[in-house]
Amino acid sequence: MNINLPKEIFLTKGVGSHREELHSFELALRDAGIEKCNLVQVSSILPPGCRVISRTQGHKALKAGAITFCVMSRCASNEPRRLLASSIGCAIPADRTTYGYISEHHAFGQTERQAGDYAEDLAAAMLASTLGIDFNVDESWDEKKELFKISGKIVGTRNITQSSIVKNQGYTTVLAAAVFVF
């Protein structure tokens, strides 16, 4: 059986504003550099051994019209002065032969940092639950090393987050995505 496992992943983000909501989404996709793909949203597993690459490297691997798998967070509004945020969080286990987690989070009224921290915490908590570990985010965060410690195992976390304030007219869309490369 041939199983398609992504070998790499990259994180990207974008924002778009337009009087039409769909067009604001398209502009956010363009800002993120993934507008030329047929995006298929998938759930939250980071495959074992999947390497995180730069956005620039990831864009070079994309082909126009290709079916492209991603985990995406998206938030849109036309309410003037509303703060929007979309974030993707990743929890990457030290043991590269095991899988990690990707979380998506979107919110109104959260700053980029708040949304990003929440998405990272969520990904780490999901990974911990699959390992059967009771995980308390507040007690496990080591700010100096910026690593989660889960039952003696170090797990690296990261996020990519886009925030924006809605303009006075039209829609604003923010998005963040983890895009898989085969």
Side-chain angles (χ1 to χ4, degrees):
M1 180 169 162
N2 185 9
I3 298 174
N4 292 323
L5 273 178
K7 304 243 183 306
E8 299 170 323
I9 191 170
F10 71 95
L11 305 177
T12 189
K13 64 182 183 173
V15 61
S17 295
H18 194 271
R19 71 174 185 264
E20 297 293 331
E21 184 175 9
L22 182 60
H23 201 146
S24 75
F25 175 54
E26 170 68 16
L27 293 173
L29 289 171
R30 285 183 194 175
D31 191 36
I34 55 176
E35 79 286 352
K36 67 182 178 182
C37 302
N38 286 306
L39 299 172
V40 177
Q41 289 186 247
V42 297
S43 62
S44 55
I45 300 301
L46 179 66
C50 191
R51 194 170 63 94
V52 179
I53 61 174
S54 72
R55 177 179 162 159
T56 302
Q57 290 174 296
H59 285 159
K60 289 178 185 176
L62 298 179
K63 306 245 186 289
I67 304 295
T68 305
F69 298 98
C70 68
V71 177
M72 183 187 299
S73 172
R74 168 181 170 188
C75 191
S77 177
N78 65 347
E79 183 182 335
R81 296 175 301 285
R82 184 102 193 222
L83 176 61
L84 311 173
S86 287
S87 186
I88 294 292
C90 294
I92 306 165
D95 178 359
R96 304 299 289 177
T97 64
T98 62
Y99 64 90
Y101 265 90
I102 303 167
S103 69
E104 63 271 6
H105 172 66
H106 62 271
F108 297 103
Q110 284 188 340
T111 66
E112 202 162 299
R113 180 173 180 128
Q114 289 169 323
D117 287 349
Y118 185 85
E120 282 187 41
D121 292 352
L122 188 57
M126 290 189 310
L127 180 57
S129 70
T130 65
L131 300 173
I133 298 166
D134 185 25
F135 181 68
N136 182 326
V137 174
D138 294 328
E139 292 175 3
S140 300
W141 180 248
D142 180 352
E143 291 187 32
K144 192 172 189 178
K145 294 182 182 176
E146 295 189 8
L147 293 172
F148 280 100
K149 293 182 179 180
I150 301 176
S151 186
K153 296 182 180 179
I154 304 293
V155 177
T157 62
R158 64 177 64 194
N159 77 77
I160 189 158
T161 305
Q162 180 69 62
S163 67
S164 185
I165 295 173
V166 177
K167 311 290 186 268
N168 287 332
Q169 294 186 12
Y171 285 87
T172 297
T173 300
V174 293
L175 67 83
V179 182
F180 293 101
V181 177
F182 287 86

